[in-house]
Amino acid sequence: MSSPAPVSSPVPSAAAEVPGLASALEQVSARRMLDCVAELAADRYAGRRVGTPGGRAAATWLAGRLRALGADVRHDPFDVAEVRELYRTPVLRWSTGRSTLRLEHRRDFAEHPASAELPDPRSAPLADTGTADLGGHWVLAPAGEWARICRRAEADGALGVLTARNTDDEGWMPKMIAGPARRSVAVLGVRADLHRRLADALAAGEVTVTASAPLRAVGAGGVNVHGHLPIGPGVPYEGSGEGAAGGPQVLLTAHFDGVGDDPDRRLPAAADNASGVAAVLEAARVLTATLTVPVDLRVSFLDAEEVGAWGSAHHAPAVAPGTQVVNLDGAAQLHQAAAVEAGGPAHALLAALDQAGRRTGTALRAGAMASDNRRYAAAGLAAIGIGMGMPGYQTPAETPDRVEPATLVAAARLLVSTVWLLAGTRP
């Protein structure tokens, strides 16, 4: 699938007020970032789920890109206790005396991340919550009551629970590989309108449900990729034995993992978060080529964000105190403004980001960013999370052609400007 044509956005005149910044921003390349997104969304990475060959291959490729910038690179492995893995396509159909309806996975229904493993399809009568004994039944749970019904279904020995679930605007059910504690019964989410049809069918007579949930919990090995790119005189490389001198410590982060392909569908994870990775990599390239004042710049591409931000939780305690962290989770489709969440002692960092938004013409707004930035903030670091949209989020529709080059350019320029201002190159 082809990517949209690159854009050449004019640099706002306000950038010229900061020495050298306008020239640096002009070097941001949409084409480089689009190529990075297309690479990470390619079939060979299979959705980049933590602990998979595709995820490890993505880490290796990113390490090579950082080395090409002159970075001192290290791989930082860690263990993840539990990842939900769908190893076959689930089945869901129901039958009345007159007809059978077969539902399509990820369009009409999807596995609930709390589901117990049910490897093979099992048929049983459907019951509602008014049934005295749910044993041996599939149970239709009212919207919003799945957890309570699960407890009763478990106590009675039911096969599983069918709860209502909405789709996104394009009719997909996003994939989730982390969530609430696992239940001891199977749990499937059924599209809300079909859930109502199923209730109507049950009210009219007997219904038999056949379903499976081939979802297991596996341990996985994650790996973060860290690059050290000291800029300017007096800022040493890792392992040199010298202390950093004269420049702020700045860490740019983005997670590279995705939720992984389904057994029968591609989930390319172009927006979440190949787009963020591409913008961070491009910002690092421009900064190392243009900034001359001292900055102790580090880049971390993080694994296992999709299963609870394990990569950043592993890394955050090892980050030097005083480091200022900017995490980019999504740079695919900017509407009115980028969402920004600040945590820890981030007043100076937030002020620099605000000024960077003005210099680059990027509108910012306060908004929740539940990503790796929260792990760094919890470790006492100044940390900001930025999000610029994720079209097709965690579905087969999250393809490279939907990543807007103008948004990638805006994200990379915002990062470049923020580091530039933190380095002290102000008017």
Side-chain angles (χ1 to χ4, degrees):
M1 193 172 291
S2 62
S3 295
V7 297
S8 179
S9 302
V11 174
S13 58
E17 299 173 7
V18 181
L21 179 58
S23 176
L25 297 183
E26 287 173 352
Q27 296 193 33
V28 170
S29 167
R31 171 48 59 199
R32 285 178 181 272
M33 290 184 283
L34 290 168
D35 287 347
C36 179
V37 170
E39 172 68 28
L40 291 172
D43 292 352
R44 60 184 166 277
Y45 299 113
R48 309 189 307 276
R49 202 205 77 197
V50 60
T52 62
R56 291 189 290 272
T60 299
W61 186 81
L62 288 168
R65 301 290 73 72
L66 286 171
R67 289 191 185 97
L69 298 182
D72 178 20
V73 177
R74 66 183 179 89
H75 293 259
D76 183 17
F78 59 93
D79 292 328
V80 180
E82 184 172 292
V83 179
R84 280 76 188 271
E85 178 181 73
L86 190 67
Y87 55 90
R88 281 199 299 274
T89 302
V91 169
L92 178 58
R93 60 181 181 268
W94 82 71
S95 302
T96 63
R98 297 185 300 277
S99 63
T100 297
L101 182 63
R102 291 175 171 80
L103 304 189
E104 181 182 357
H105 179 236
R106 202 100 23 232
R107 286 287 196 183
D108 301 327
F109 80 101
E111 68 287 353
H112 193 290
S115 179
E117 183 179 8
L118 187 64
D120 301 309
R122 296 282 301 275
S123 298
L126 182 66
D128 60 23
T129 55
T131 303
D133 183 1
L134 301 179
H137 288 77
W138 286 98
V139 184
L140 195 64
E145 297 188 36
W146 73 272
R148 180 179 67 82
I149 302 306
C150 278
R151 290 192 291 272
R152 187 180 161 205
E154 289 164 339
D156 287 0
L159 273 182
V161 171
L162 306 180
T163 185
R165 181 177 173 185
N166 293 322
T167 62
D168 66 10
D169 291 341
E170 297 170 347
W172 293 102
M173 292 183 179
K175 183 176 182 177
M176 296 181 289
I177 59 172
R182 299 183 75 212
R183 311 299 315 202
S184 59
V185 293
V187 187
L188 297 172
V190 182
R191 202 177 73 208
D193 63 311
L194 292 173
H195 191 272
R196 290 190 294 270
R197 281 181 59 186
L198 192 50
D200 292 342
L202 182 59
E206 293 184 357
V207 177
T208 298
V209 168
T210 302
S212 66
L215 183 72
R216 61 192 170 203
V218 298
V223 59
N224 295 330
V225 180
H226 305 303
H228 188 203
L229 288 155
I231 297 170
V235 184
Y237 274 86
E238 201 84 51
S240 67
E242 302 173 18
Q249 295 173 305
V250 182
L251 172 65
L252 303 180
T253 66
H255 78 88
F256 68 89
D257 65 305
V259 294
D261 288 347
D262 280 346
D264 62 346
R265 289 190 194 273
R266 288 254 35 235
L267 282 86
D272 183 23
N273 186 34
S275 64
V277 168
V280 167
L281 191 61
E282 180 64 2
R285 183 189 72 84
V286 171
L287 285 164
T288 55
T290 59
L291 192 58
T292 58
V293 297
V295 176
D296 190 4
L297 180 65
R298 297 166 191 265
V299 171
S300 291
F301 293 126
L302 303 166
D303 204 353
E305 192 268 356
E306 300 293 359
V307 290
W310 284 66
S312 51
H314 171 73
H315 182 225
V319 177
T323 299
Q324 300 180 87
V325 184
V326 181
N327 180 71
L328 183 60
D329 192 8
Q333 193 175 81
L334 181 61
H335 296 291
Q336 287 87 7
V340 174
E341 178 181 300
H347 299 292
L349 177 57
L350 193 58
L353 180 70
D354 179 66
Q355 282 297 310
R358 297 174 190 274
R359 303 296 177 189
T360 60
T362 305
L364 308 175
R365 64 172 176 84
M369 281 302 303
S371 186
D372 292 302
N373 46 287
R374 293 187 176 179
R375 296 292 196 178
Y376 294 105
L381 300 166
I384 284 178
I386 303 171
M388 292 188 178
M390 296 179 180
Y393 173 70
Q394 295 182 350
T395 74
E398 195 186 330
T399 50
D401 61 298
R402 303 190 66 188
V403 176
E404 298 176 346
T407 300
L408 290 170
V409 169
R413 285 178 173 176
L414 185 66
L415 296 177
V416 169
S417 299
T418 301
V419 177
W420 207 274
L421 293 165
L422 288 171
T425 52
R426 295 181 172 83

